[in-house]
Amino acid sequence: MMDRGLRMIPVNEPLLDGNEARYLGECIVSGWISADGAFVEKFENGMAEQMNRRYAVSVANGTAALDIAVASLKIGPGDEVILPAHTIISCAAAVVKAGAKPVLVDSDPVTWNMDVTKIEGAITPRTRAIMVVHIFGLPVDMDPVIELASRYGIPIIEDAAQAIGLTYKGRPCGSFGAISCLSFYSNKNITTGEGGMVLCNDEALHARAKSLRNLCFMPKRRFIHEELGWNYRMSNLQAAVGLAQLESLTRHTLRKRQIGHRYGRLLHDVAGLELSPPSEPYGESIFWVYGLILKDDIPLSGDEARAHLAELGVDTRPFFWPMHEQPVFRKMGLFTDERYPIAERMGRRGFYLPSGLALTDEKQDRVVGAVRQLMESL
Ligand SMILES: *Cc1c(COP(=O)(O)O)cnc(C)c1O
């Protein structure tokens, strides 16, 4: 009997084809497996250099990185943070957990990123940060955001979790704004299984981020605390994998782009689909994931299409569900009567195809065959 689970093409498979096993072995042999280990510092230094940043603080995951970014900027009750409606909940949750209010901006229907022309209208005297999130591998148009941020004196938090290896006008994503956040979850372009990072250039911000990561232990006297932090430390085991992944980043980014452009070529003539935007004048997508949006004349929701593709052996994931339609935030009285139509449409009609680094051309052809079969059957 065929095992459907085995035949299903997974939405992501990471590629651990460099020094990962060797570096992990060094951790085991040396006994350095917790956060106190040489790989943590090597990985942080390597990432800081990669991202053109003075400081890097490794953390337990990307959600933790966002928590630390918001807390490092001392954002709290009474403050507002502008962020896209279409993003992962970690962004809005970091703001809400800090006691502050997320203020949403709709997406751009072409780039799928936050519509930067709508940011200024969301600024109020309470705005304490603009959180930009590069979505699916194409950069946000940063120059207008940087101009606004400096005109109003508002810091930028950059969520570059999906943008490791991506550049905007030749500058690496992860280098923009007061503080940048990365995730190294298994589907990210550098993975440590679970992991994340905070990057910045400011010495005081760096010291605060480091302290918040480690329970705000006082440097003078351990076990006396003047503030509450988290244990968000990254282990040496994770950093060992991360360093090996960083060594492969250029090669892996090329491969991601190959996969993305190949999907674009093989799907461009399929009616009824909007395909992942490949580039804008300011940057070429690294296709962190390859997304599709069903055009409005297609009589299926994204979830219905995904169910059909699953029957054809193709695993997919829906796009993010918009923040203003999250039951958890509605229950808190947030976003009542707010509408962000582009983000709503993306949440209902968008999903992404298997896009991991280990995807072979043969598997990709099967994915394309399934998408064609579905669309031609309608
Ligand atoms: C993955 C991701 C995160 C969260 O990272 P975790 O490591 O899963 O906590 C945050 N922001 C964006 C844009 C992401 O894609």
Side-chain angles (χ1 to χ4, degrees):
M1 216 176 86
M2 293 259 242
D3 182 340
R4 231 180 111 244
L6 278 181
R7 289 179 58 241
M8 187 83 133
I9 298 175
V11 75
N12 176 65
E13 276 182 278
L15 201 54
L16 306 165
D17 60 349
N19 283 319
E20 288 83 354
R22 206 185 110 203
Y23 293 166
L24 274 174
E26 286 177 29
C27 296
I28 304 294
V29 169
S30 68
W32 290 100
I33 57 173
S34 77
D36 295 314
F39 282 114
V40 174
E41 204 183 314
K42 279 187 199 166
F43 183 41
E44 288 177 343
N45 291 342
M47 289 303 294
E49 191 182 337
Q50 176 71 33
M51 300 299 181
N52 262 336
R53 284 289 201 183
R54 200 172 300 158
Y55 302 110
V57 179
S58 59
V59 293
N61 53 65
T63 303
L66 287 160
D67 286 343
I68 287 186
V70 168
S72 296
L73 291 170
K74 301 188 179 170
I75 290 166
D79 297 336
E80 295 177 0
V81 175
I82 296 171
L83 56 99
H86 178 261
T87 185
I88 190 164
I89 195 150
S90 309
C91 301
V95 175
V96 170
K97 283 184 280 180
K101 186 179 156 203
V103 174
L104 304 180
V105 167
D106 205 357
S107 305
D108 177 308
V110 173
T111 65
W112 302 353
N113 270 312
M114 75 195 294
D115 183 342
V116 296
T117 66
K118 298 212 165 109
I119 295 174
E120 188 163 15
I123 295 176
T124 77
R126 293 167 181 269
T127 308
R128 291 288 315 280
I130 301 169
M131 188 185 282
V132 300
V133 187
H134 309 289
I135 291 291
F136 298 162
L138 190 68
V140 171
D141 189 2
M142 290 304 298
D143 278 349
V145 187
I146 292 165
E147 189 277 319
L148 265 182
S150 69
R151 181 146 51 88
Y152 285 87
I154 302 169
I156 294 173
I157 299 172
E158 183 194 30
D159 181 345
Q162 307 182 358
I164 300 170
L166 181 65
T167 56
Y168 171 83
K169 296 189 177 174
R171 293 172 54 193
C173 293
S175 69
F176 291 96
I179 193 158
S180 302
C181 298
L182 306 177
S183 162
F184 306 123
Y185 181 60
S186 62
N187 66 357
K188 300 295 158 71
N189 282 9
I190 285 180
T191 183
T192 59
E194 302 285 350
M197 199 166 270
V198 171
L199 300 134
C200 64
N201 297 331
D202 182 79
E203 197 181 338
L205 212 51
H206 171 239
R208 242 182 103 64
K210 262 180 85 166
S211 178
L212 286 162
R213 165 182 71 176
N214 195 22
L215 297 169
C216 293
F217 280 116
M218 296 295 295
K220 290 188 290 270
R221 172 62 167 86
R222 207 174 170 84
F223 302 119
I224 298 177
H225 304 261
E226 288 176 0
E227 273 187 86
L228 289 181
W230 295 275
N231 174 0
Y232 278 166
R233 300 185 298 263
M234 173 182 277
S235 76
N236 203 44
L237 294 166
Q238 292 166 308
V241 175
L243 183 66
Q245 287 271 294
L246 173 59
E247 291 166 357
S248 305
L249 181 62
T250 304
R251 182 168 54 89
H252 284 178
T253 305
L254 269 173
R255 178 63 194 141
K256 280 294 237 198
R257 285 199 163 120
Q258 268 179 357
I259 293 172
H261 287 300
R262 192 161 186 272
Y263 268 133
R265 282 197 305 279
L266 296 174
L267 292 170
H268 81 276
D269 61 334
V270 180
L273 297 178
E274 289 171 26
L275 307 179
S276 257
S279 64
E280 285 291 317
Y282 47 76
E284 185 200 353
S285 181
I286 51 166
F287 300 99
W288 172 65
V289 294
Y290 198 86
L292 302 177
I293 297 178
L294 299 171
K295 288 189 178 163
D296 294 334
D297 58 349
I298 299 299
L300 287 180
S301 69
D303 284 346
E304 287 163 342
R306 293 182 54 236
H308 286 293
L309 289 171
E311 278 167 26
L312 297 171
V314 174
D315 194 18
T316 58
R317 287 287 180 281
F319 281 8
F320 296 118
W321 194 251
M323 289 306 108
H324 64 292
E325 296 192 288
Q326 295 291 344
V328 60
F329 293 143
R330 285 293 177 93
K331 276 188 268 178
M332 295 174 176
L334 286 166
F335 312 131
T336 313
D337 298 328
E338 294 181 24
R339 299 298 304 273
Y340 303 95
I342 310 295
E344 288 169 22
R345 179 170 179 267
M346 287 171 71
R348 283 161 178 76
R349 304 192 71 76
F351 58 92
Y352 62 86
L353 300 174
S355 311
L357 277 161
L359 188 74
T360 60
D361 284 0
E362 183 266 327
K363 283 184 185 164
Q364 194 180 14
D365 289 341
R366 277 165 54 204
V367 174
V368 169
V371 172
R372 279 187 177 277
Q373 187 180 329
L374 168 64
M375 298 308 290
E376 282 160 16
S377 73
L378 298 174

